[in-house]
Amino acid sequence: MPISTIWSQAWQKFWNKNWLVGLLLALAIFLFSLIPVVGIIVSFIIGVALNYYGLQVWRSDSPVEFSQVFPPLIAYVKILVGLVVVGLIPGLILLIVYLTDGGLSVTASFVLGALLLLFLMVVFYFFSYFVLERDAGIGEALRGALAILLQNPGKSILFILTLLLVHFLGILALGVGTLLTTPLASIGGAGFYLTHRLDATSPKLT
């Protein structure tokens, strides 16, 4: 399915499958992000719910209710552990470089680490969707996300660039636009995942 079609359908589904739920989730993320520590935890919880909302919107034949957007607790645990694992990889690489006297300054190490983390976030972007839709294990979900990228490298990267563009347009609209673009991006991401995942067996989404 062309990327333009995915976004077109995502837009239609957003308005037809209860846009208010997506808007409220985006608003909650914005408000809780202003609160130190606790806000980060709650924002993570709502962020996962947003991706689940995207999956529900894409697959459901009826409007999605607010009570349907929160996945089982185990999904949160898997996604959190997976993100920690991915986040540790740049740190381990930099530690190896440091121990082998790579000669990197603190600033250079920080920049390299940030770039490596950004790269890995792109590589494993669809990780959470595998956990949420298929109840996949952490390793299985990471392999699945990598498989999508390797089988469709150009299209996957182009989609992620359009995803960033959608977020950027929301920020340009005095930040208020993110209330619209954040749930739209979750639906778009779910649509790309569902049309490109390799395993065609019945999903475990509930």
Side-chain angles (χ1 to χ4, degrees):
M1 181 183 295
I3 291 176
S4 58
T5 303
I6 291 175
W7 282 116
S8 175
Q9 291 192 18
W11 177 258
Q12 293 174 11
K13 292 176 183 296
F14 172 65
W15 289 111
N16 295 332
K17 302 293 181 63
N18 202 341
W19 58 269
L20 183 58
V21 171
L23 188 147
L24 289 175
L25 289 172
L27 178 61
I29 282 186
F30 171 75
L31 294 177
F32 279 103
S33 67
L34 302 176
I35 305 174
V37 185
V38 174
I40 296 175
I41 298 173
V42 176
S43 293
F44 165 74
I45 293 173
I46 299 174
V48 172
L50 257 173
N51 282 353
Y52 199 57
Y53 161 79
L55 285 169
Q56 297 280 27
V57 166
W58 196 267
R59 298 187 62 88
S60 176
D61 293 326
S62 57
V64 176
E65 300 300 328
F66 195 79
S67 59
Q68 297 176 283
V69 301
F70 294 97
L73 178 61
I74 187 63
Y76 287 102
V77 175
K78 290 179 181 178
I79 292 172
L80 178 60
V81 173
L83 291 176
V84 170
V85 169
V86 172
L88 286 176
I89 294 175
L92 291 175
I93 293 175
L94 292 178
L95 179 61
I96 293 172
V97 171
Y98 175 77
L99 293 177
T100 55
D101 193 22
L104 288 178
S105 66
V106 174
T107 302
S109 298
F110 178 80
V111 172
L112 179 59
L115 290 175
L116 285 172
L117 182 59
L118 178 61
F119 172 74
L120 291 174
M121 289 295 102
V122 171
V123 170
F124 299 111
Y125 179 79
F126 297 102
F127 159 76
S128 65
Y129 288 111
F130 275 95
V131 173
L132 293 170
E133 191 220 10
R134 317 201 66 72
D135 192 25
I138 297 171
E140 180 187 351
L142 290 172
R143 289 192 300 271
L146 179 61
I148 288 181
L149 180 68
L150 293 179
Q151 294 248 339
N152 309 274
K155 192 174 182 180
S156 296
I157 293 173
L158 180 59
F159 173 77
I160 291 174
L161 289 176
T162 63
L163 197 69
L164 294 175
L165 177 61
V166 168
H167 282 300
F168 181 68
L169 291 175
I171 294 173
L172 281 182
L174 301 178
V176 179
T178 57
L179 297 180
L180 173 66
T181 58
T182 299
L184 180 62
S186 294
I187 298 171
F192 190 93
Y193 158 77
L194 288 170
T195 53
H196 291 83
R197 58 170 164 56
L198 303 180
D199 187 355
T201 57
S202 299
K204 299 178 181 179
L205 182 65
T206 57

